[in-house]
Amino acid sequence: QVQLVESGGGLVQAGGSLRLSCAASGSIRTAYGMGWYRQAPGKQREPVATVTLGGATNYADSVKGRFTISRDNAKNMVYLQMNSLKPEDTAVYFCNRFGAKEYDYWGQGTQVTVSS
């Protein structure tokens, strides 16, 4: 059974940092490119960063230079280091395989709130 468990969110002041973690198990594990997504209140979920099985990364323009995605294949973990956080980064953050659709399985996400 697929399971994705995100953690590491919290309340932080603008300019601060957080590190999100995602534990993947089941059929997703590390056999796919993985990504972090976020959904702000009243907005659609959007991709933030992706990492291939080989470690190549890609970022949304809004987070480029501030966020870093990484993965530990041995531990089935995916991480998102977020620096220089801005209030507009406030959202629920999710991890999933690269290209996941809304009708796919999603974990509960982790709330990130950035105060100004």
Side-chain angles (χ1 to χ4, degrees), residues 1-4 23-32 76:
Q1 183 173 349
V2 170
Q3 188 173 20
L4 296 164
S25 62
S27 63
I28 291 181
R29 300 181 80 181
T30 56
Y32 297 90
N76 294 332

Side-chain angles (χ1 to χ4, degrees), residues 16-82:
S17 299
L18 285 172
R19 188 190 192 214
L20 307 184
S21 298
C22 171
S25 62
S27 63
I28 291 181
R29 300 181 80 181
T30 56
Y32 297 90
M34 295 293 292
W36 282 95
Y37 304 75
R38 67 185 180 188
Q39 186 168 24
K43 295 187 177 181
Q44 289 188 331
R45 186 158 23 206
E46 61 177 0
V48 173
T50 60
V51 58
T52 68
L53 190 60
T57 59
N58 196 26
Y59 299 92
D61 288 343
S62 59
V63 307
K64 202 170 292 184
R66 300 187 297 121
F67 290 11
T68 303
I69 187 172
S70 61
R71 65 191 296 167
D72 185 332
N73 293 336
K75 296 182 179 179
N76 294 332
M77 296 290 293
V78 184
Y79 305 99
L80 187 67
Q81 178 66 42
M82 306 187 298

